[in-house]
Amino acid sequence: MMHAIDPIILTLILLLPLAGAILVALLPDRAKLPNWLALLTSLVTFVLTLHLPAHFAYGQTGFQFERNIPWIASPAIFYHVGVDGLSLWLVVLTGLLAPVGVVASWKAIQARRKVFYSLFLVQQTAMFGVFVSLDLMLYYGFWELSLVPMAILIAMYGRKEGPRAALKFFLFTFIPSAPLLVAILWLYVRTHTFNFTDLQYQTASGVLPAGALFWVALAFLFAFAVKVPVFPLHGWLADTYNEAPVALAMVVAGKLGLYSMLRFHVGLFPAQAHAIAPLLIALGVIGILYGACLALVQRDFWRLLAYAALSLFGLIVLAIYGLSFTGWSGAVFQILSDGVVDGSLFLLLGALEVRYGTSLISSYGGLAAKLPRTASYFVIAALALIGLPMLSGFIGEFIILSSTFAFVSHGWAVAAALGVILGAAYMLWLVQRLFYGPESNLASSMRSPDLGFGELSILTPLVVLMLVMGLAPNLWLNSIQTGIHPPQHPTNVISIQKPQASTKISVILSEPANGGRVEGSAVAFSRDVAPSLPAVPSLARVGTHEKQLASASGAHQ
Amino acid sequence: MTSVPDIYRILPEFILTLTGVAVMLIDSSLPPSWSRRYLGFLAAIGTTIALWASILQLEFPQGTGFFQTVETSAFTVFFHVLICGLVLVALLLAIDTLPPHTHHQGEFYALIVFGAVGMCLLTSAVELLLVFIALEISSISTYILAAYRKQTGRSPEAAIKYFLLGSFATAFLLYGIALVFGATGTTQIYEIAHLAPTAQNHTLVIAALALMLVGILFKVSAVPFHVWTPDVYEGAPSPVVALMSTAPKIAAFALLLRVVYEMFPDLRSLWAPLLWIVAVLSMTVGNLAALRQQNVKRMLAYSAIAHAGYLLAAFAGIGEVGIAAAAFYAAAYAAMNVGIFAIITLVAGYDEQLSLIDDFRGLVYRSPLLGCLLIFFLISLIGIPFTGGFFGKFYAFTAAVGGGAIALAIIGLLNSGLAAGYYLRLALVAAQRPLADQPVPRKPEVGVAVGAALLLAVIATLVLGIIPGATLDAAQSAAHTLQAPPAATTSPTSAASPQAAPLQSPQ
């Protein structure tokens, strides 16, 4: 079912925020004009992103809405964009968080609004670009571009130590991208292509020397791990969360790096990812526990949120490097859920900070009576973060933990579950300290209005979304699974390594993707393949066995 | 074969010379009280015509003139256009920023134009003695220009330092030329390329190469021949620095390309490792020193040293790939560097009261246009995608990786991470809110000429970053003509016959 707009929809999504940014920069900074323009641009962009799931061919694997135009002849860089099940919802999430960011900045940003909103929109384009680029050079371009507006905005609108935090953030994330670029260039010199799918076959075919490929994969991983961040590379995170304007803090960490890991590390270098997976699993679990423990002792709620994020990202890293399809579905779902939940929490805490002028937790207390709406929204978001059943966080955490239990090891699953319990502790304690208990001096001395119409109109959909994601996860999981399943180009693979490895995967693949009970199917996996970790569920490699898989699955059923 | 009159082979240089002479003559005939500002426009117009004439040269078949001393080819045209463009921007910058009562203002413009003659000739000369003369023409103009702010002590100090060290370096070059003449019996570059591999005294050739490299690497301010750069940049007037940190350097790089790729391609095993070391030293020393600077001009001087290192990394590329990458980097470097110096000139003022990094605090608030442009050029210098700086580095390091110098590429890119530190420090200071007790400096005024200069630099940086295809094609055809010079030892009349086809247009 083709639609007239399909071939250019991704280009529109990329260009619209940029056009908005230029418009905001050109028009005068008068009477909230930049705010309204930014809101309008981000809402229209969000509506455009909704076109993607509405017209996505769900049964199909591979990339859709693709566009592949030569950009530079030599070296052969293409404007190659497209989405698959993996990136589809991440694009929508990015679109959704943009208006949330604008609303969150509505009152917080008073000076130099033009600069703020135009850079904010440029940042938006860069993030969309990261998710839709299928040409490594284009991807790298957007990846780097996403750093610049972020760093400038942190410096300009930071709370106290803006420039220092901005410099820290920029250097932490820019320096690892140097080896990343060298790795990309090396791949290009060897393969003469930046095309993601071509490269996927080349790396799987064994043409490239394994020794060098190890370093190349490591360069990719390192850049992504800093950006996520993975313990122990999180040095920039707390300062950035503490200083960055709310609208940017909610997008600065996590999804760009996690998506890149899934697509460009695990997806491009399956064998190397398999080799390094045990390390990443260990770091992921350490991150979960370390982040949760530090979150427990923070006095500032931004810092608390930073360490909570470190803990949550650790869980997703664990899921990605568990190297199972179930785990990957859980990882993507958890990224989406975190995006929505974190977005709401940032919005609410930002609202508190604007009203009371501090982020010190001890200054608050007993706010529930004065700000009942804030309190109830906050409680729902906090519960979603903890993973209360029926809310979005539960699904992701459950899939991740059960797949870890089944495919990785029982020990790591138990340790990760411990971290999740600690998560409940710090979150509920935060709720208690902010909203319940005796009313603090600050709360009683200041009269502040509860959430206004603007905030409510953006928070309510988010909360509803948490509920829908918790109740009907298959709306998302089905399409995510098509993205994780192998692409259908079996003929392009030159040679096949360890063919017997993929027969076990066939069990996973053969599970009806629309099963309706993801939890159930995860348990089923554990029965079928629990004894050993499937060698490497490489996207390309499994693709070679498409037909065998079909027959195997028939036999299995 | 249609023969091209010799004069067409030096058309841009000829036009520039006429312009310079006209400016000087008119300057001396005007009454002393009249403003000399319009002489700057005259010089700018002359430079524009020279730029156009350079492009016109593409219409002629590639070949040499004046008894095989000057060449026109896509290579010379590429660098002519670049140099004329830079001189034009520098002139426009000077028109608006020189104080109206500057002494000998007319001479200032004339000297810039005469310098341009030398630089253009340096890229098109294929005879080592002419190379030497061209280098001297360009250097002497820059020595005088560096001393122009003579009210302060620093400017003449800078000029004298530059002059003494520069003459010393030129002497090395001249000595190298003498040795190469001793070894081969000629100073014509094509003939040397032909005779050098079979020269009886091979040691002499190697010594000649080494001495010439010293001379040229001094001009491009590569480590360890860089010591003069920060002092000279700090002392010289900013519009002059905008010129001398770009145009003469680029001309010297063109000469370097000619010397190593055209004259001594067979000695690659000797010069490639040398340039590898110099590239690594330049980047690392330049960036480390820049991190510690408080004065913006000194910081950018060290940054220019580091950029010379990045450009030298392209020399690790083999053959045309390396030449094209170096030529492209030169273009990108020129665009962003002249842009940033234009902004420094405007903010710091001719008298340079505000040249410390802290003086730039709150620039985005004080003058949003200049602040945003400053950040833009800094982003390009860092090498963020969609700016010229990115593709410059990209091609340079791709060439290096292709030539097998992966370590060099990694060192280079880690260096650009290091460099991000100080570029970003300046960008973030400019983006910061001004301090409450900070004295409010005068708001820099952006005149028409400066506006045009900035616009040129911004457009060039953006075009190189978003649609680099056309420039890269031009760089590649430049590289191609340098790699395949007209048959050298045959007589001048038949020299151009195999390459008689009209040159490809850079588009």
Side-chain angles (χ1 to χ4, degrees), chain A residues 71-72 74-75 112 137 140-141 144 148 152 155-156 163 166-167 170-171 174-175 178 181-182 185-186 189, chain B residues 365 368 375 379 382 384-385 390-391 394-395 398 406 410 413 416-417 420 424 428 431-432 466 468 472 476:
Chain A
W71 175 26
I72 295 161
S74 168
R112 289 273 148 207
M137 224 40 239
Y140 182 81
E144 292 282 273
V148 177
I152 296 176
M156 284 186 77
L167 200 61
F170 190 87
L171 291 186
F174 184 76
I175 291 176
L181 183 60
V182 176
L185 292 183
W186 185 86
V189 169
Chain B
Y365 291 81
I375 292 174
I379 284 171
I382 293 176
I384 298 289
F390 172 73
F391 273 116
F394 173 79
Y395 291 130
T398 315
I406 294 177
I410 293 176
L413 283 162
S416 57
L424 206 67
L428 296 180
Q432 236 174 334
I466 295 170
L472 190 68
Q476 271 161 351

Short mmCIF file of all heavy atoms in Angstrom, two decimals, chain A residues 71-72 74-75 112 137 140-141 144 148 152 155-156 163 166-167 170-171 174-175 178 181-182 185-186 189, chain B residues 365 368 375 379 382 384-385 390-391 394-395 398 406 410 413 416-417 420 424 428 431-432 466 468 472 476:
data_model
loop_
_atom_site.label_atom_id
_atom_site.label_comp_id
_atom_site.label_asym_id
_atom_site.label_seq_id
_atom_site.Cartn_x
_atom_site.Cartn_y
_atom_site.Cartn_z
N TRP A 71 25.10 11.51 -3.10
CA TRP A 71 25.30 12.85 -2.55
C TRP A 71 26.67 13.35 -3.00
O TRP A 71 26.80 14.40 -3.60
CB TRP A 71 25.17 12.80 -1.02
CG TRP A 71 25.48 14.08 -0.32
CD1 TRP A 71 25.37 15.35 -0.82
CD2 TRP A 71 25.92 14.23 1.02
NE1 TRP A 71 25.72 16.27 0.12
CE2 TRP A 71 26.07 15.61 1.26
CE3 TRP A 71 26.23 13.34 2.05
CZ2 TRP A 71 26.50 16.11 2.49
CZ3 TRP A 71 26.65 13.85 3.26
CH2 TRP A 71 26.78 15.22 3.48
N ILE A 72 27.69 12.56 -2.71
CA ILE A 72 29.04 12.92 -3.14
C ILE A 72 29.58 11.74 -3.93
O ILE A 72 29.44 10.59 -3.50
CB ILE A 72 29.91 13.23 -1.93
CG1 ILE A 72 29.38 14.48 -1.22
CG2 ILE A 72 31.36 13.44 -2.34
CD1 ILE A 72 29.86 14.62 0.17
N SER A 74 32.77 10.91 -4.97
CA SER A 74 33.95 10.23 -4.47
C SER A 74 34.45 10.94 -3.23
O SER A 74 34.74 12.12 -3.28
CB SER A 74 35.06 10.27 -5.52
OG SER A 74 36.27 9.87 -4.95
N PRO A 75 34.48 10.29 -2.13
CA PRO A 75 34.06 8.93 -1.83
C PRO A 75 32.54 8.79 -1.95
O PRO A 75 31.81 9.77 -1.79
CB PRO A 75 34.51 8.73 -0.39
CG PRO A 75 34.60 10.08 0.18
CD PRO A 75 34.97 11.00 -0.94
N ARG A 112 17.04 35.01 25.45
CA ARG A 112 17.61 34.47 24.22
C ARG A 112 16.82 33.26 23.72
O ARG A 112 17.37 32.21 23.44
CB ARG A 112 19.07 34.05 24.46
CG ARG A 112 20.01 35.19 24.64
CD ARG A 112 20.55 35.71 23.33
NE ARG A 112 20.79 37.14 23.43
CZ ARG A 112 20.77 37.96 22.39
NH1 ARG A 112 20.52 37.50 21.21
NH2 ARG A 112 20.99 39.23 22.54
N MET A 137 28.45 7.31 6.54
CA MET A 137 28.98 8.67 6.60
C MET A 137 27.89 9.66 6.97
O MET A 137 28.12 10.58 7.74
CB MET A 137 29.54 9.00 5.22
CG MET A 137 30.86 9.68 5.22
SD MET A 137 31.99 9.05 6.41
CE MET A 137 32.26 10.56 7.28
N TYR A 140 27.30 9.25 10.56
CA TYR A 140 28.33 9.91 11.34
C TYR A 140 28.11 11.42 11.38
O TYR A 140 28.31 12.07 12.39
CB TYR A 140 29.72 9.58 10.77
CG TYR A 140 30.84 10.18 11.55
CD1 TYR A 140 31.30 9.57 12.70
CD2 TYR A 140 31.42 11.37 11.17
CE1 TYR A 140 32.31 10.12 13.44
CE2 TYR A 140 32.44 11.93 11.90
CZ TYR A 140 32.88 11.31 13.04
OH TYR A 140 33.87 11.87 13.78
N GLY A 141 27.70 11.94 10.22
CA GLY A 141 27.43 13.37 10.15
C GLY A 141 26.39 13.80 11.18
O GLY A 141 26.59 14.73 11.95
N GLU A 144 27.61 13.45 14.87
CA GLU A 144 28.45 14.55 15.35
C GLU A 144 27.62 15.83 15.49
O GLU A 144 27.80 16.57 16.44
CB GLU A 144 29.57 14.82 14.35
CG GLU A 144 30.58 13.74 14.28
CD GLU A 144 31.53 13.79 15.44
OE1 GLU A 144 32.52 14.50 15.33
OE2 GLU A 144 31.25 13.15 16.47
N VAL A 148 26.64 19.35 18.83
CA VAL A 148 26.94 20.78 18.86
C VAL A 148 25.85 21.61 19.53
O VAL A 148 26.12 22.34 20.48
CB VAL A 148 27.22 21.27 17.43
CG1 VAL A 148 27.47 22.76 17.43
CG2 VAL A 148 28.40 20.55 16.86
N ILE A 152 26.26 23.74 23.10
CA ILE A 152 26.07 25.19 23.18
C ILE A 152 24.93 25.52 24.14
O ILE A 152 25.02 26.42 24.96
CB ILE A 152 25.79 25.77 21.78
CG1 ILE A 152 27.00 25.55 20.89
CG2 ILE A 152 25.48 27.24 21.87
CD1 ILE A 152 26.79 25.99 19.48
N ALA A 155 25.89 25.13 27.67
CA ALA A 155 26.74 26.24 28.11
C ALA A 155 25.93 27.50 28.34
O ALA A 155 26.13 28.23 29.30
CB ALA A 155 27.83 26.50 27.08
N MET A 156 24.98 27.76 27.43
CA MET A 156 24.25 29.03 27.52
C MET A 156 23.20 29.01 28.61
O MET A 156 22.93 30.02 29.25
CB MET A 156 23.58 29.34 26.18
CG MET A 156 24.54 29.85 25.14
SD MET A 156 23.67 30.36 23.65
CE MET A 156 23.02 31.94 24.15
N PRO A 163 29.19 26.10 31.25
CA PRO A 163 30.29 25.86 30.30
C PRO A 163 31.15 24.67 30.68
O PRO A 163 31.57 23.90 29.82
CB PRO A 163 31.09 27.16 30.39
CG PRO A 163 30.12 28.17 30.81
CD PRO A 163 29.15 27.48 31.72
N ALA A 166 29.29 21.61 29.75
CA ALA A 166 29.20 21.48 28.30
C ALA A 166 30.51 20.95 27.74
O ALA A 166 30.53 20.07 26.87
CB ALA A 166 28.86 22.82 27.68
N LEU A 167 31.62 21.50 28.24
CA LEU A 167 32.93 21.07 27.75
C LEU A 167 33.15 19.60 28.06
O LEU A 167 33.61 18.82 27.23
CB LEU A 167 34.01 21.92 28.41
CG LEU A 167 35.35 21.95 27.70
CD1 LEU A 167 35.19 22.52 26.32
CD2 LEU A 167 36.35 22.78 28.50
N PHE A 170 31.00 17.53 25.79
CA PHE A 170 31.44 17.53 24.40
C PHE A 170 32.70 16.68 24.23
O PHE A 170 32.78 15.85 23.33
CB PHE A 170 31.70 18.96 23.92
CG PHE A 170 31.92 19.06 22.46
CD1 PHE A 170 30.84 19.20 21.61
CD2 PHE A 170 33.19 18.99 21.91
CE1 PHE A 170 31.03 19.28 20.25
CE2 PHE A 170 33.38 19.06 20.55
CZ PHE A 170 32.30 19.21 19.72
N LEU A 171 33.66 16.88 25.13
CA LEU A 171 34.91 16.14 24.97
C LEU A 171 34.70 14.66 25.20
O LEU A 171 35.22 13.81 24.48
CB LEU A 171 35.97 16.69 25.93
CG LEU A 171 36.44 18.09 25.57
CD1 LEU A 171 37.58 18.51 26.45
CD2 LEU A 171 36.88 18.15 24.10
N PHE A 174 32.97 13.58 22.01
CA PHE A 174 33.62 13.87 20.73
C PHE A 174 34.88 13.03 20.54
O PHE A 174 35.13 12.52 19.45
CB PHE A 174 33.95 15.37 20.64
CG PHE A 174 34.52 15.78 19.31
CD1 PHE A 174 33.68 15.92 18.22
CD2 PHE A 174 35.87 16.02 19.14
CE1 PHE A 174 34.19 16.30 16.99
CE2 PHE A 174 36.38 16.39 17.92
CZ PHE A 174 35.53 16.54 16.84
N ILE A 175 35.66 12.88 21.59
CA ILE A 175 36.94 12.17 21.44
C ILE A 175 36.74 10.72 21.00
O ILE A 175 37.42 10.27 20.08
CB ILE A 175 37.78 12.31 22.72
CG1 ILE A 175 38.24 13.77 22.84
CG2 ILE A 175 38.99 11.39 22.69
CD1 ILE A 175 38.99 14.10 24.08
N ALA A 178 36.48 10.02 17.26
CA ALA A 178 37.66 10.01 16.38
C ALA A 178 38.00 8.59 15.95
O ALA A 178 38.08 8.31 14.75
CB ALA A 178 38.84 10.69 17.07
N LEU A 181 35.44 7.40 13.48
CA LEU A 181 35.60 7.86 12.10
C LEU A 181 36.71 7.07 11.40
O LEU A 181 36.56 6.67 10.24
CB LEU A 181 35.90 9.36 12.06
CG LEU A 181 36.01 9.97 10.67
CD1 LEU A 181 34.73 9.79 9.90
CD2 LEU A 181 36.36 11.44 10.73
N VAL A 182 37.81 6.84 12.11
CA VAL A 182 38.90 6.07 11.49
C VAL A 182 38.38 4.68 11.11
O VAL A 182 38.66 4.16 10.03
CB VAL A 182 40.10 5.95 12.44
CG1 VAL A 182 41.18 5.07 11.83
CG2 VAL A 182 40.67 7.32 12.71
N LEU A 185 36.32 4.94 8.05
CA LEU A 185 37.17 5.16 6.87
C LEU A 185 37.88 3.86 6.49
O LEU A 185 38.01 3.54 5.31
CB LEU A 185 38.20 6.25 7.16
CG LEU A 185 37.65 7.65 7.33
CD1 LEU A 185 38.77 8.64 7.52
CD2 LEU A 185 36.82 8.04 6.12
N TRP A 186 38.34 3.14 7.49
CA TRP A 186 39.03 1.88 7.20
C TRP A 186 38.08 0.92 6.47
O TRP A 186 38.46 0.30 5.48
CB TRP A 186 39.52 1.24 8.50
CG TRP A 186 40.33 0.02 8.27
CD1 TRP A 186 41.67 -0.05 8.02
CD2 TRP A 186 39.86 -1.33 8.23
NE1 TRP A 186 42.04 -1.36 7.83
CE2 TRP A 186 40.96 -2.17 7.96
CE3 TRP A 186 38.61 -1.92 8.41
CZ2 TRP A 186 40.85 -3.55 7.87
CZ3 TRP A 186 38.50 -3.30 8.31
CH2 TRP A 186 39.62 -4.10 8.04
N VAL A 189 37.78 2.13 2.92
CA VAL A 189 38.95 1.85 2.08
C VAL A 189 38.97 0.38 1.69
O VAL A 189 39.35 0.02 0.58
CB VAL A 189 40.24 2.26 2.84
CG1 VAL A 189 41.47 1.74 2.13
CG2 VAL A 189 40.30 3.77 2.95
N TYR B 365 25.57 37.67 23.09
CA TYR B 365 24.59 38.64 23.60
C TYR B 365 24.88 40.03 23.08
O TYR B 365 23.99 40.79 22.77
CB TYR B 365 24.63 38.65 25.14
CG TYR B 365 24.10 37.38 25.73
CD1 TYR B 365 24.90 36.26 25.83
CD2 TYR B 365 22.79 37.28 26.18
CE1 TYR B 365 24.42 35.08 26.37
CE2 TYR B 365 22.29 36.12 26.72
CZ TYR B 365 23.11 35.01 26.80
OH TYR B 365 22.62 33.85 27.31
N PRO B 368 24.81 39.32 18.29
CA PRO B 368 24.38 37.97 17.95
C PRO B 368 24.96 37.47 16.63
O PRO B 368 25.38 36.32 16.53
CB PRO B 368 22.86 38.09 17.85
CG PRO B 368 22.52 39.29 18.65
CD PRO B 368 23.69 40.22 18.56
N ILE B 375 30.96 31.04 16.41
CA ILE B 375 30.72 29.65 16.80
C ILE B 375 30.68 28.77 15.55
O ILE B 375 31.22 27.66 15.55
CB ILE B 375 29.41 29.56 17.61
CG1 ILE B 375 29.61 30.25 18.95
CG2 ILE B 375 29.01 28.11 17.82
CD1 ILE B 375 28.38 30.37 19.79
N ILE B 379 33.10 25.66 14.92
CA ILE B 379 32.57 24.32 14.68
C ILE B 379 33.23 23.71 13.45
O ILE B 379 33.60 22.53 13.43
CB ILE B 379 31.05 24.40 14.51
CG1 ILE B 379 30.38 24.59 15.86
CG2 ILE B 379 30.50 23.16 13.84
CD1 ILE B 379 28.93 24.89 15.76
N ILE B 382 36.69 22.68 14.38
CA ILE B 382 36.66 21.41 15.12
C ILE B 382 36.52 20.26 14.14
O ILE B 382 37.11 19.20 14.32
CB ILE B 382 35.49 21.40 16.12
CG1 ILE B 382 35.69 22.42 17.22
CG2 ILE B 382 35.33 20.01 16.75
CD1 ILE B 382 34.53 22.54 18.18
N ILE B 384 33.21 19.45 12.62
CA ILE B 384 31.88 18.86 12.74
C ILE B 384 31.30 18.72 11.33
O ILE B 384 31.51 19.60 10.50
CB ILE B 384 30.98 19.78 13.60
CG1 ILE B 384 31.54 19.92 15.00
CG2 ILE B 384 29.56 19.24 13.65
CD1 ILE B 384 31.44 18.71 15.86
N PRO B 385 30.59 17.63 11.05
CA PRO B 385 30.05 17.43 9.71
C PRO B 385 29.16 18.58 9.25
O PRO B 385 28.65 19.34 10.06
CB PRO B 385 29.22 16.17 9.86
CG PRO B 385 29.87 15.44 10.95
CD PRO B 385 30.39 16.45 11.89
N PHE B 390 35.08 19.59 8.21
CA PHE B 390 34.87 18.14 8.31
C PHE B 390 35.37 17.43 7.06
O PHE B 390 36.13 16.47 7.15
CB PHE B 390 33.40 17.82 8.54
CG PHE B 390 33.14 16.34 8.45
CD1 PHE B 390 33.54 15.50 9.46
CD2 PHE B 390 32.53 15.79 7.34
CE1 PHE B 390 33.33 14.14 9.39
CE2 PHE B 390 32.32 14.44 7.24
CZ PHE B 390 32.72 13.61 8.27
N PHE B 391 34.94 17.91 5.90
CA PHE B 391 35.34 17.19 4.69
C PHE B 391 36.83 17.33 4.44
O PHE B 391 37.44 16.40 3.90
CB PHE B 391 34.51 17.63 3.49
CG PHE B 391 33.25 16.85 3.38
CD1 PHE B 391 32.03 17.46 3.50
CD2 PHE B 391 33.29 15.48 3.18
CE1 PHE B 391 30.86 16.71 3.42
CE2 PHE B 391 32.13 14.73 3.09
CZ PHE B 391 30.92 15.35 3.22
N PHE B 394 38.21 14.81 6.56
CA PHE B 394 37.75 13.53 6.05
C PHE B 394 38.61 13.07 4.88
O PHE B 394 39.12 11.95 4.87
CB PHE B 394 36.28 13.69 5.65
CG PHE B 394 35.71 12.49 4.95
CD1 PHE B 394 35.31 11.39 5.68
CD2 PHE B 394 35.59 12.47 3.58
CE1 PHE B 394 34.79 10.29 5.05
CE2 PHE B 394 35.06 11.38 2.94
CZ PHE B 394 34.66 10.28 3.68
N TYR B 395 38.79 13.95 3.90
CA TYR B 395 39.57 13.55 2.73
C TYR B 395 41.03 13.34 3.11
O TYR B 395 41.67 12.40 2.63
CB TYR B 395 39.46 14.59 1.61
CG TYR B 395 38.09 14.63 0.98
CD1 TYR B 395 37.41 15.82 0.81
CD2 TYR B 395 37.47 13.45 0.57
CE1 TYR B 395 36.16 15.84 0.25
CE2 TYR B 395 36.21 13.48 0.01
CZ TYR B 395 35.55 14.68 -0.15
OH TYR B 395 34.32 14.70 -0.69
N THR B 398 41.20 10.08 4.93
CA THR B 398 40.92 8.95 4.03
C THR B 398 42.16 8.68 3.17
O THR B 398 42.54 7.53 2.97
CB THR B 398 39.75 9.27 3.09
OG1 THR B 398 38.72 9.85 3.85
CG2 THR B 398 39.21 8.01 2.45
N ILE B 406 47.49 4.31 8.93
CA ILE B 406 46.34 4.30 9.83
C ILE B 406 46.69 4.97 11.15
O ILE B 406 45.89 5.72 11.71
CB ILE B 406 45.86 2.85 10.05
CG1 ILE B 406 45.34 2.30 8.72
CG2 ILE B 406 44.77 2.78 11.10
CD1 ILE B 406 44.91 0.88 8.78
N ILE B 410 44.67 7.98 13.08
CA ILE B 410 44.16 7.91 14.45
C ILE B 410 44.73 9.05 15.28
O ILE B 410 44.01 9.74 16.00
CB ILE B 410 44.49 6.54 15.07
CG1 ILE B 410 43.69 5.46 14.35
CG2 ILE B 410 44.16 6.53 16.56
CD1 ILE B 410 43.99 4.07 14.80
N LEU B 413 42.97 12.22 14.29
CA LEU B 413 41.60 12.41 14.76
C LEU B 413 41.55 12.58 16.27
O LEU B 413 40.72 13.35 16.78
CB LEU B 413 40.74 11.23 14.31
CG LEU B 413 40.39 11.38 12.82
CD1 LEU B 413 39.94 10.07 12.23
CD2 LEU B 413 39.32 12.43 12.65
N SER B 416 42.13 16.03 16.79
CA SER B 416 41.01 16.95 16.57
C SER B 416 40.09 16.91 17.78
O SER B 416 39.40 17.89 18.04
CB SER B 416 40.29 16.64 15.26
OG SER B 416 39.84 15.33 15.25
N GLY B 417 40.09 15.81 18.52
CA GLY B 417 39.37 15.80 19.79
C GLY B 417 40.00 16.76 20.78
O GLY B 417 39.33 17.54 21.45
N ALA B 420 39.25 20.24 19.87
CA ALA B 420 37.89 20.64 20.23
C ALA B 420 37.88 21.34 21.58
O ALA B 420 37.09 22.23 21.82
CB ALA B 420 36.98 19.43 20.24
N LEU B 424 36.22 24.88 21.56
CA LEU B 424 34.94 24.90 22.26
C LEU B 424 34.99 25.88 23.42
O LEU B 424 34.00 26.52 23.74
CB LEU B 424 34.63 23.50 22.75
CG LEU B 424 33.16 23.24 22.90
CD1 LEU B 424 32.51 23.25 21.55
CD2 LEU B 424 32.93 21.90 23.56
N LEU B 428 32.19 28.49 23.87
CA LEU B 428 31.33 28.50 25.05
C LEU B 428 31.45 29.82 25.80
O LEU B 428 30.47 30.32 26.33
CB LEU B 428 31.67 27.33 25.96
CG LEU B 428 31.41 25.96 25.35
CD1 LEU B 428 31.77 24.85 26.32
CD2 LEU B 428 29.97 25.81 24.93
N ALA B 431 29.28 32.11 24.16
CA ALA B 431 27.86 31.83 24.35
C ALA B 431 27.39 32.13 25.76
O ALA B 431 26.20 32.13 26.04
CB ALA B 431 27.58 30.36 24.02
N GLN B 432 28.37 32.39 26.66
CA GLN B 432 28.01 32.62 28.05
C GLN B 432 27.38 33.99 28.27
O GLN B 432 27.67 34.92 27.52
CB GLN B 432 29.29 32.56 28.88
CG GLN B 432 29.25 31.56 29.98
CD GLN B 432 30.62 31.49 30.63
OE1 GLN B 432 31.64 31.79 30.02
NE2 GLN B 432 30.64 31.11 31.86
N ILE B 466 28.68 20.92 2.56
CA ILE B 466 27.43 20.28 2.17
C ILE B 466 27.50 19.73 0.76
O ILE B 466 27.05 18.62 0.50
CB ILE B 466 26.25 21.26 2.35
CG1 ILE B 466 26.10 21.58 3.84
CG2 ILE B 466 24.96 20.63 1.86
CD1 ILE B 466 25.16 22.69 4.14
N PRO B 468 30.50 19.26 -1.39
CA PRO B 468 31.93 19.37 -1.70
C PRO B 468 32.28 18.82 -3.08
O PRO B 468 33.43 18.93 -3.49
CB PRO B 468 32.59 18.53 -0.60
CG PRO B 468 31.57 17.51 -0.26
CD PRO B 468 30.22 18.14 -0.48
N LEU B 472 35.87 19.16 -5.01
CA LEU B 472 36.67 17.94 -5.02
C LEU B 472 37.04 17.57 -6.45
O LEU B 472 38.17 17.16 -6.72
CB LEU B 472 35.91 16.80 -4.35
CG LEU B 472 36.79 15.58 -4.12
CD1 LEU B 472 37.85 15.89 -3.08
CD2 LEU B 472 35.98 14.39 -3.72
N GLN B 476 40.68 17.19 -7.84
CA GLN B 476 41.16 15.97 -8.47
C GLN B 476 41.77 16.24 -9.83
O GLN B 476 42.79 15.65 -10.19
CB GLN B 476 40.02 14.95 -8.57
CG GLN B 476 39.97 14.09 -7.32
CD GLN B 476 38.65 13.39 -7.13
OE1 GLN B 476 37.69 13.66 -7.85
NE2 GLN B 476 38.60 12.50 -6.17
#
